[in-house]
DNA sequence: CCTCCACCGGAACGTGAGGAGT
DNA sequence: ACTCCTCACGTTCCGGTGGAGG
């Protein structure tokens, strides 16, 4: 029975109305397009800064900043790839510092880089300074000038401080090769928290990525949809709608592309003849839901309990939820499930984390005589809450 | 103007899991 | 077997604080 159904599903898929997609990958995050509309200036700027490396000179470090989905990563990778193609003596190393378990600590960052350079390094166990030596040795032996692209560099610094950057930018003892850093950050005020010396050497050059406006987003979408969608698969106004929605969100091109891709997938799934504006609306809902569900599901047990407490209290209609209320409810949840109760200090951090992940929203307020606390709100729609609840309650058993 | 609540949030430290090297 | 590493997660300790009420 089950096999029969599976078979049917696949068969149906193959025989169903022709797919709207020509090349689905062209809408995905990892796709590197040939052209980047409205980023010509940034590309040229970066290229001019990096060009001297073709003749073996050390180039300036670069700091690139702008909101998410403004093309920073794209530009960096695009230019780096071209540089690598032009000269065998240049080795761009791209690394995303936010990647948990890969590059979110000093050790892991260096280990990962060494690995890319062909070294076998254990995931743990060695002292950090030894990893440094391995990395430096790998760079030297490689005889290539390294252009190190550190994406989401702000995450790294927030977690472990700026001392690595200090070492990397000023203290490296490289004899034969050179290393330059391209730092990429979503957070514009990030450099203010840096040690002044690090700041000055990291941002010898700066490139700003302003948000895209709706018209520019449309250009991007048109460009990509030519590659990714079959001709006339999109209803009139679909692209405009995606662009408009993403423009509301600080001009995030990634969001625009996601909307378009998901809308296409939804249309395909329901065998609609074309992708309609209605699909875009549904896509927006789905993106939000998927994001939240994914985050909630991946939370550790204690964090789920905290969130469960918050949602139960909020659903119960308690207005002006504060940390103390959540904690006492959370205590009960723990007692019922015979789970260890974390300290208020820890729970406070968990609440702050949920906030920074965008699941809840909190604000530190003072109630004068009655103390200072976080006021907690749950900005999730009831349908999203309904989806989340079972996931959280599952943790109770 | 001062007090004092109910927390906030920084910092140092502890634990136990993963693993290296000798 | 033993000492040494990192690192996630948590605890302990504690100084700080905006503003309602006296």
């Amino acid at each position: 029975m089950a096999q029969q159904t599976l078979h049917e599903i696949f068969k149906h898929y193959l025989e169903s109305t022709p797919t709207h997609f020509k090349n689905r990958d062209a809408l995905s995050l990892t796709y590197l397009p040939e052209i980047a509309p409205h980023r010509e200036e940034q590309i040229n700027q970066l290229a001019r800064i990096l060009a001297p490396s073709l003749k073996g000179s050390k180039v300036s470090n670069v700091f690139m900043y702008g909101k998410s989905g403004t093309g920073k990563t794209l530009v960096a990778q695009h230019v780096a790839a071209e540089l690598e193609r032009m000269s065998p003596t240049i080795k761009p190393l791209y690394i995303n510092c936010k990647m948990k378990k890969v590059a979110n600590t000093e050790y892991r960052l260096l280990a990962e880089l060494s690995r890319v350079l062909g070294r076998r390094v254990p995931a743990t166990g060695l002292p950090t300074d030894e990893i440094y030596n391995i990395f430096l040795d790998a760079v030297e032996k490689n005889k290539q000038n390294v252009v190190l692209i550190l994406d989401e560099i702000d995450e790294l610094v927030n977690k472990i401080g700026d001392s690595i950057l200090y070492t990397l930018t000023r203290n490296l003892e490289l004899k034969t090769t050179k290393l330059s850093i391209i730092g990429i950050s979503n957070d514009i005020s990030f450099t203010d928290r840096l040690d002044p010396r690090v700041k000055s050497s990291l941002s010898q050059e700066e490139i700003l990525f302003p948000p895209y406006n709706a018209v520019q987003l449309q250009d991007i979408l048109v460009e990509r949809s030519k590659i990714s969608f079959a001709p006339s698969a999109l209803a009139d106004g679909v692209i405009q709608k995606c662009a408009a929605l993403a423009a509301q969100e600080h001009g995030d091109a990634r969001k625009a592309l996601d909307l378009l891709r998901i809308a296409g997938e939804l249309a395909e799934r329901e065998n609609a003849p074309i992708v309609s504006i209605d699909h875009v609306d549904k896509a927006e809902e789905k993106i939000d839901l998927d994001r939240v569900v994914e985050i909630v599901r991946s939370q550790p047990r204690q964090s789920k309990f905290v969130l469960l407490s918050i949602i139960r209290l909020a659903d119960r209609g308690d207005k002006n939820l504060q940390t103390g209320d959540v904690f006492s409810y959370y205590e009960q949840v723990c007692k019922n499930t015979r789970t260890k109760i974390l300290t208020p200090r820890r729970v406070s951090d968990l609440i702050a984390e949920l906030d920074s992940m965008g699941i809840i929203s909190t604000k530190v307020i003072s109630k004068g005589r009655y103390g200072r606390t976080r006021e907690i709100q749950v900005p999730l729609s009831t349908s999203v809450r309904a989806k989340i609840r079972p996931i959280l309650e599952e943790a109770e058993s």
Side-chain angles (χ1 to χ4, degrees), chain A residues 50 56 65 91 103 131 137 180 189 192 228 245 256 267 293 314 334 344 383:
Chain A
L50 296 184
Y65 58 99
K91 182 73 182 170
I131 274 287
D137 187 59
S180 321
S189 64
D192 298 345
S228 54
L245 286 175
V293 166
C334 286
S383 62

Side-chain angles (χ1 to χ4, degrees), chain A residues 57-348:
Chain A
S57 314
K58 171 166 168 42
V59 296
S60 303
N61 297 318
V62 188
F63 180 59
M64 312 205 302
Y65 58 99
K67 294 267 178 64
S68 58
T70 49
K72 303 181 295 296
T73 305
L74 184 69
V75 166
Q77 289 186 332
H78 183 75
V79 174
E82 190 57 33
L83 212 52
E84 192 175 22
R85 219 171 295 149
M86 293 283 288
S87 165
T89 62
I90 299 172
K91 182 73 182 170
L93 292 180
Y94 173 86
I95 200 155
N96 188 326
C97 303
K98 206 162 111 187
M99 300 273 286
K100 284 207 160 39
K101 312 276 185 187
V102 176
N104 58 347
T105 70
E106 188 172 18
Y107 183 99
R108 284 172 183 166
L109 178 66
L110 293 166
E112 181 61 22
L113 292 173
S114 306
R115 242 172 265 145
V116 175
L117 292 172
R119 295 301 172 102
R120 294 195 61 84
V121 282
T124 167
L126 300 178
T128 302
D129 52 344
E130 199 157 327
I131 274 287
Y132 253 111
N133 292 332
I134 292 174
F135 171 65
L136 291 182
D137 187 59
V139 171
E140 294 269 19
K141 292 268 162 62
N142 218 32
K143 300 211 187 310
Q144 286 173 305
N145 290 342
V146 172
V147 176
L148 180 54
I149 304 170
L150 298 177
D151 206 347
E152 318 238 21
I153 195 173
D154 46 332
E155 300 274 341
L156 184 70
V157 171
N158 285 344
K159 194 148 220 166
I160 58 174
D162 55 11
S163 59
I164 328 169
L165 294 183
Y166 185 79
T167 319
L168 244 32
T169 52
R170 328 187 104 234
N171 253 354
L172 272 193
E173 288 165 14
L174 285 170
K175 300 224 161 44
T176 55
T177 56
K178 286 151 188 111
L179 181 140
S180 321
I181 294 181
I182 301 179
I184 302 180
S185 167
N186 299 320
D187 181 358
I188 293 163
S189 64
F190 153 77
T191 50
D192 298 345
R193 300 193 299 274
L194 249 37
D195 179 308
R197 291 167 302 181
V198 175
K199 178 175 176 176
S200 72
S201 57
L202 176 64
S203 48
Q204 291 167 331
E205 303 279 355
E206 294 190 1
I207 304 180
L208 170 68
F209 286 70
Y212 297 106
N213 63 34
V215 178
Q216 295 171 329
L217 287 170
Q218 280 189 39
D219 291 343
I220 294 171
L221 291 175
V222 166
E223 207 53 55
R224 292 267 194 125
S225 65
K226 275 192 228 157
I227 312 169
S228 54
F229 280 95
S232 72
L234 303 177
D236 283 351
V238 164
I239 284 185
Q240 285 84 337
K241 177 87 181 181
C242 291
L245 286 175
Q248 282 169 25
E249 205 134 313
H250 68 254
D252 184 342
R254 188 167 58 201
K255 165 111 189 200
L257 291 165
D258 278 348
L259 280 168
L260 191 57
R261 177 173 49 85
I262 303 283
E265 284 171 7
L266 289 174
E268 192 173 59
R269 206 169 302 166
E270 43 181 82
N271 266 324
I274 56 171
V275 184
S276 69
I277 291 185
D278 196 37
H279 291 127
V280 178
D281 284 322
K282 285 186 188 150
E284 199 193 14
E285 270 175 51
K286 181 168 161 31
I287 287 172
D288 198 44
L289 176 69
D290 287 356
R291 190 192 115 251
V292 173
V293 166
E294 182 49 40
I295 292 174
V296 169
R297 199 188 302 277
S298 65
Q299 282 318 102
R301 193 146 180 267
Q302 292 285 8
S303 180
K304 281 183 181 163
F305 280 179
V306 173
L307 182 56
L308 180 64
S309 308
I310 293 169
I311 287 187
R312 287 244 180 93
L313 289 171
D315 281 357
R316 193 210 269 169
D318 290 28
K319 206 60 191 141
N320 303 330
L321 262 190
Q322 57 189 62
T323 307
D325 309 332
V326 174
F327 185 76
S328 26
Y329 193 98
Y330 158 83
E331 271 185 310
Q332 287 311 310
V333 175
C334 286
K335 277 179 189 156
N336 293 341
T337 55
R338 285 191 290 282
T339 310
K340 192 175 176 231
I341 300 170
L342 299 179
T343 54
R345 178 69 184 84
R346 180 63 185 144
V347 171
S348 170

